Amino acid sequence: MRAQKVMVQITGTQRLFSEWPETADSAQDGGADSTETAQTQQTLPGLYSCQKGAHFVVYEEDDGEGHVTRSTVKITEDSFEVMRKGAGCVRMAFRAGRRSECRYDTPCGRMPVVFDVKETEICLSQTEGAGADNPGDVLLARAAYVLEMEGRPVSENTVLVRVSR
């Protein structure tokens, strides 16, 4: 399939723990004090393609200081990955019930992190009646996870990737 131009909307929420709970399970139960939830959202142009049953979306972000990060999202029926290259390099894998370890490369050095994925939701179907006024969703991917550093939960997070024509 030839790559199609799309719009990529990325929404993220993060609830930092002001005190680290003993376990990720106690974090999920509200056992730790936390700060207010922060939310970020951005919409960027990208390219969408499908190869051997996997959906790929590629887009670039500019941090406003001349650093460009190229992101590739790979979505299958039961999981998705986000691979980022640029000022900060990371490969994040999201599959419900799985823990994913990775190294997050930053300008200040490499940090080992763990994504403890609690749930994922993936929708690969296209919206009927797509047209100029209703571009239609190509796909949606959402994950809820706990971010861990040094063996302790740091925050509860969600990420939503919405791709539309």
Side-chain angles (χ1 to χ4, degrees):
M1 170 184 210
R2 191 170 61 90
Q4 300 175 12
K5 291 182 180 180
V6 293
M7 292 305 294
V8 184
Q9 182 181 65
I10 301 99
T11 305
T13 59
Q14 179 182 57
R15 186 173 68 112
L16 294 172
F17 299 122
S18 58
E19 294 181 21
W20 285 358
E22 292 301 316
T23 66
D25 290 333
S26 66
Q28 290 289 319
D29 297 336
D33 293 332
S34 64
T35 62
E36 292 295 315
T37 300
Q39 182 169 340
T40 59
Q41 183 174 337
Q42 58 183 339
T43 303
L44 302 161
L47 293 173
Y48 163 80
S49 64
C50 185
Q51 301 168 14
K52 298 181 182 179
H55 301 262
F56 293 89
V57 181
V58 179
Y59 62 93
E60 292 184 348
E61 300 171 72
D62 186 337
D63 68 359
E65 296 181 13
H67 301 109
V68 175
T69 300
R70 181 181 176 102
S71 297
T72 302
V73 180
K74 176 184 177 184
I75 302 172
T76 62
E77 289 182 4
D78 62 351
S79 67
F80 71 103
E81 297 178 38
V82 179
M83 291 135 311
R84 298 174 52 93
K85 293 183 180 183
C89 295
V90 67
R91 180 174 177 224
M92 302 173 277
F94 301 102
R95 180 175 287 199
R98 297 244 177 120
R99 293 169 57 83
S100 172
E101 296 181 30
C102 72
R103 304 228 185 279
Y104 185 39
D105 292 329
T106 72
C108 298
R110 182 177 277 186
M111 296 186 306
V113 295
V114 173
F115 299 94
D116 186 4
V117 182
K118 301 302 179 185
E119 64 183 21
T120 58
E121 178 182 0
I122 296 170
C123 178
L124 302 175
S125 62
Q126 296 183 9
T127 303
E128 293 296 323
D133 295 329
N134 176 18
D137 291 330
V138 174
L139 53 97
L140 296 166
R142 185 186 69 79
Y145 62 96
V146 173
L147 177 68
E148 297 178 10
M149 295 177 70
E150 298 179 3
R152 294 190 175 254
V154 176
S155 61
E156 287 181 320
N157 304 271
T158 61
V159 62
L160 171 66
V161 178
R162 179 180 178 161
V163 181
S164 57
R165 289 183 233 182

